[in-house]
């Protein structure tokens, strides 16, 4: 099972209203339990790599402080903005490496399919592409900070 299939499974479970799903194949086992708000990956092991490893469920961390931006409206009504959310649990990065430019900045126009960030999960760096077009209004997560599934990453003004 690859990362895309796991992401699709998490989306399906969160939308279906099922409380728990377990899948076990010959070299892979995953259990997803949900509460009323969002799913949590409880256990996953992949012996095909180095050794079986369990993913510990981290306690709920406080939300990362939003990045202050001069172009962002000060506590204004954000209902007119669209949100780009994290499709997975991992570490959020705004560029591919520290010496490379940021994928997007406040004020940048993005199109559907534009890479907006990278999320590292289980030593894999996943490029996150925008599913919407618009202008970046606010970056909601600090660089190199952990993110949860479905956590808002960017506010986008539709064009």
């Amino acid at each position: 099972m690859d990362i895309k299939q796991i992401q699709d499974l998490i989306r399906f479970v969160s939308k279906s209203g099922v409380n728990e799903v377990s899948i076990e194949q010959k070299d892979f086992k995953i259990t997803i339990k949900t509460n009323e708000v969002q799913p949590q990956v409880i256990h996953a092991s992949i012996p095909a790599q180095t050794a079986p490893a369990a993913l510990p469920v981290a306690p709920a961390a406080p939300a990362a402080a939003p990045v202050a931006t001069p172009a962002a409206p000060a506590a204004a009504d954000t209902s007119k903005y669209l949100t780009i959310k994290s499709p997975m649990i991992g570490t959020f990065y705004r560029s591919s490496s520290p010496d490379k430019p940021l994928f997007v900045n406040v004020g940048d126009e993005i199109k559907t399919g534009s890479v907006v960030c990278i999320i590292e999960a289980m030593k894999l760096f996943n490029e996150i592409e925008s599913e919407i077009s618009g202008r970046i209004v606010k970056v909601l997560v600090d660089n190199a900070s952990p993110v949860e599934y479905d956590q808002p990453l960017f506010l986008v003004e539709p064009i």
Side-chain angles (χ1 to χ4, degrees), residues 13-28:
V13 170
S14 68
K15 291 179 183 174
S16 70
V18 176
N19 290 334
E20 182 176 345
V21 172
S22 293
I23 296 177
E24 190 168 342
Q25 297 174 345
K26 60 182 175 181
D27 61 348
F28 183 80

Side-chain angles (χ1 to χ4, degrees), residues 16-17 20 27 62 69 80 82 87 95 99 106 109 112 115 151:
S16 70
E20 182 176 345
D27 61 348
T69 56
K80 65 181 179 180
L82 301 174
S95 65
D99 58 334
V106 172
E109 285 191 21
T112 302
V115 175
Q151 177 179 339

Side-chain angles (χ1 to χ4, degrees), residues 3 88-91 119-126:
I3 192 75
M88 65 184 66
I89 297 170
T91 305
I119 296 183
E120 177 190 7
M122 296 175 51
K123 305 282 185 206
L124 295 174
F125 291 87
N126 303 284

Side-chain angles (χ1 to χ4, degrees), residues 5-53:
Q5 290 172 316
I6 293 171
Q7 292 171 351
D8 291 341
L9 180 61
I10 290 171
R11 282 189 202 104
F12 172 76
V13 170
S14 68
K15 291 179 183 174
S16 70
V18 176
N19 290 334
E20 182 176 345
V21 172
S22 293
I23 296 177
E24 190 168 342
Q25 297 174 345
K26 60 182 175 181
D27 61 348
F28 183 80
K29 180 179 179 182
I30 186 168
T31 302
I32 300 173
K33 291 184 180 181
T34 61
N35 55 22
E36 293 182 22
V37 179
Q38 67 184 34
Q40 295 179 332
V41 176
I42 301 301
H43 179 275
S45 62
I46 305 173
Q49 293 179 1
T50 55

